Amino acid sequence: MTAARFIVFEGGEGAGKSTQSAALADYLRARGHEVLCTREPGGTPAAESIRAVLLDPANAGLDDRAEALLFAAARGDHAARVIRPALERGEIVISDRYLDSSVAYQGVARGLGAERVAELSLWATGGLVPDLTIVLDVDPALGLARVVGPDRLESEPLEWHARVRQGFLDIAAAAPDRYLVLDGSRPAEDLAVEIAVAVSALVGDA
Ligand SMILES: Nc1ncnc2c1ncn2[C@@H]1O[C@H](COP(=O)(O)OP(=O)(O)OP(=O)(O)O)[C@@H](O)[C@H]1O
Ligand SMILES: [Mg+2]
């Protein structure tokens, strides 16, 4: 009964991506769907190793282009070896972050250029884009207050996170039929209901 669909959660630090990914996976599984829940950076052994490099505070000052390439490399492996095979098996794939995180963080906030960074990941993934991306939008001050023990990216200043936030909003505004932007400061249970309704329509459930 499952139709293969690729669903992504995006948003800044502490926006509620992991919470809503897990809630949606539970909801879909309870309705009989095969669901693969994954995350970025990571999702394969090689990509998880790259994640450790990217998030390690010891790598403060990592070159911006090197950072963008590492994210894209991890994504390429993830798309080829986990996401595409699951979609080919007819499963619903839920990813906690994907391509737009690179566009918002490296392209916009680091200033490498949204288009160039998007192209890099499109090349890395062979053009694999989500059917639906849910952007959880929160004021970075609220998101960061929810997160304990900041990692390398979470340690960036508030203005930098504000650019990330605007980056996500601009990406979503450019393709509104493939994005759902939700106010991440709302109660998690309310958000989960709204997301379940939107995804039920997407997967063809009544
Ligand atoms: N809507 C919400 N309202 C209040 N608190 C929330 C909400 N959603 C999640 N939280 C809480 O905020 C914290 C961060 O949530 P979560 O880990 O889901 O965010 P995230 O976007 O995955 O963060 P990160 O960027 O660190 O991975 C958790 O403690 C979670 O329980
Ligand atoms: Mg998370």
Side-chain angles (χ1 to χ4, degrees):
M1 72 181 278
T2 291
R5 292 284 186 274
F6 181 22
I7 299 164
V8 171
F9 284 90
E10 296 281 13
E13 319 298 327
K17 301 175 297 296
S18 300
T19 301
Q20 296 301 332
S21 297
L24 179 61
D26 287 348
Y27 171 82
L28 290 169
R29 285 180 182 131
R31 305 199 61 167
H33 293 287
E34 285 295 328
V35 178
L36 182 110
C37 223
T38 186
R39 68 158 184 188
E40 290 210 348
T44 70
E48 291 289 336
S49 297
I50 295 172
R51 177 189 180 97
V53 171
L54 285 165
L55 301 186
D56 185 350
N59 290 328
L62 177 68
D63 176 70
D64 289 352
R65 288 184 180 84
E67 180 184 85
L69 289 164
L70 286 168
F71 276 110
R75 181 163 303 123
D77 198 50
H78 187 213
R81 299 209 290 169
V82 172
I83 303 173
R84 278 188 192 280
L87 293 171
E88 279 160 17
R89 291 193 300 269
E91 298 177 11
I92 297 174
V93 176
I94 300 173
S95 188
D96 180 345
R97 294 193 185 277
Y98 187 63
L99 194 152
D100 292 335
S101 279
S102 286
V103 177
Y105 284 77
Q106 281 71 52
V108 178
R110 295 248 192 261
L112 293 179
E115 274 181 34
R116 174 170 299 194
V117 169
E119 262 173 35
L120 183 65
S121 271
L122 287 169
W123 178 76
T125 62
L128 182 65
V129 293
D131 295 293
L132 177 68
T133 299
I134 298 157
V135 176
L136 297 169
D137 179 53
V138 291
D139 185 320
L142 172 63
L144 289 167
R146 288 176 177 172
V147 173
V148 281
D151 62 29
R152 193 177 60 85
L153 294 175
E154 286 159 355
S155 306
E156 293 285 347
L158 215 51
E159 314 85 75
W160 191 84
H161 289 284
R163 289 204 294 279
V164 170
R165 180 190 193 185
Q166 191 58 49
F168 282 124
L169 294 175
D170 291 345
I171 293 164
D177 50 327
R178 289 187 290 112
Y179 287 82
L180 177 63
V181 180
L182 298 175
D183 175 357
S185 70
R186 291 165 52 202
E189 299 73 21
D190 292 5
L191 290 166
V193 169
E194 190 165 342
I195 291 164
V197 169
V199 171
S200 293
L202 179 75
V203 302
D205 285 356

